Amino acid sequence: MTQPIDLRSDTVTRPTAAMRAAMASAEVGDDVYGEDPTVRALEQAVAARLGKAAGLLVPSGTMSNQIAIWLHTQPGDDVIVPAGAHVMEFESGAAAALSGVQFRALGPGDGTMTVAEVNEVLNLSDPYRPLSRLLVIENSHNRAGGRIVPQTTIEGLAALARQHQLRFHLDGARLMNVHVKTGIPLDQLARPFDTISICLSKGLGAPVGSVLVGSAEAIARARRRRKMLGGGMRQAGVIAAAGLYALEHHIDRLAEDHRRARELALQLAGIRGIEIDVAKVDTNIVLIHLTQACPHDINLVIEVARQRGVLISAINSRCLRLVTHLDIRDADVERGSAVLTQIFHS
Ligand SMILES: *Cc1c(COP(=O)(O)O)cnc(C)c1O
């Protein structure tokens, strides 16, 4: 059987032969003893690219974000996030369970929130209300369809954070996509933030891992927290080697994913019963909204597409999500859009 065209997520990529070769030949040691040279090299490489002092390899983006939230807060605090934020919606309630904090979601759901909106809810001293201690931005914003958060929005929030001594964390699971799309240097994208989490296992195509970066002091505390959560890994150089390979070879090619996502959106945009805002396909994610007039059941669309060799997912009962990545070629875009066109026209 031929491999299905898997557009569910950019997490589904498998390591390439060259990446596997790099993993196989990685020098390793016990990283919990701080003795894995490849892990150290990866942590330093990511920190350097993002212009921060130190980095920490962790098993997942969820662990990375949750360590950051724990670093910056006290139980009972309010964490201010843009509506739809991954840290609030898709991390199993970890922030409440592990750090004892609550979320306040702002903005229209496109990944932005304004200084005025934050000011409106900010509490720095009222004992009746939770204390505001941390702002989080997610760039690109997954739930909004890989939208890029304008750097001016981020700079404004950073100034507010400085003014009130709030911490500022970036969930940069797909920050490399933002970097490639905008051409803004990574250290400039990272500068407004105290900590940044990036994923190696999304568009970068590594099998496992995220890296949290920040000050030496923050990362030293994060290292202890990682161990406490069971995230200390021993000969993790095998994993880190994939990350180092990805930093060298898989960043610039993200432009291809963006081009293909746009191509998918353009191919599908004219179909009756669905809406795609092509102008909002900033990076590698396409959202397909089913209009009221659409006669198709979303789960049936997903199932029929699966039977025809195309895997897609839904983010709610009226919205499908397609994601391009390392394993999606031009021919897959052609075939994927042909299959979906057929289904929507039937
Ligand atoms: C994927 C993702 C994460 C982390 O996911 P893991 O599956 O835990 O690695 C965090 N934030 C965003 C925006 C993501 O898309």
Side-chain angles (χ1 to χ4, degrees), residues 56 58 60-73 79 81 85-101 103 134 136 169-171 195 197 210 212 221-222 225-226 229:
L56 183 71
V58 290
S60 70
T62 298
M63 189 183 286
S64 192
N65 282 331
Q66 292 302 325
I67 288 174
I69 289 171
W70 176 84
L71 280 178
H72 298 311
T73 59
V79 177
V81 299
H86 195 282
V87 289
M88 182 173 90
E89 300 283 0
F90 306 116
E91 300 190 2
S92 319
L98 303 177
S99 296
V101 296
F103 286 110
L134 172 63
V136 178
H169 172 69
L170 175 62
D171 178 355
T195 49
S197 169
S210 283
L212 180 69
R221 289 180 64 219
R225 182 69 175 174
R226 180 187 69 174
L229 296 173

Side-chain angles (χ1 to χ4, degrees), residues 19 50 52-53 67 76 85 92 129-130 180 230 289 310:
M19 181 179 275
L50 295 177
K52 300 294 180 193
I67 288 174
S92 319
R129 299 177 51 222
V180 166
H289 300 276
V310 180

Side-chain angles (χ1 to χ4, degrees), residues 30 63 94 105 136 148 168 171 196 225 268 271 283 300 342:
D30 189 324
M63 189 183 286
V136 178
I148 292 174
F168 202 13
D171 178 355
I196 299 120
R225 182 69 175 174
L268 297 169
I271 298 174
T283 53
L300 207 56
Q342 231 177 31

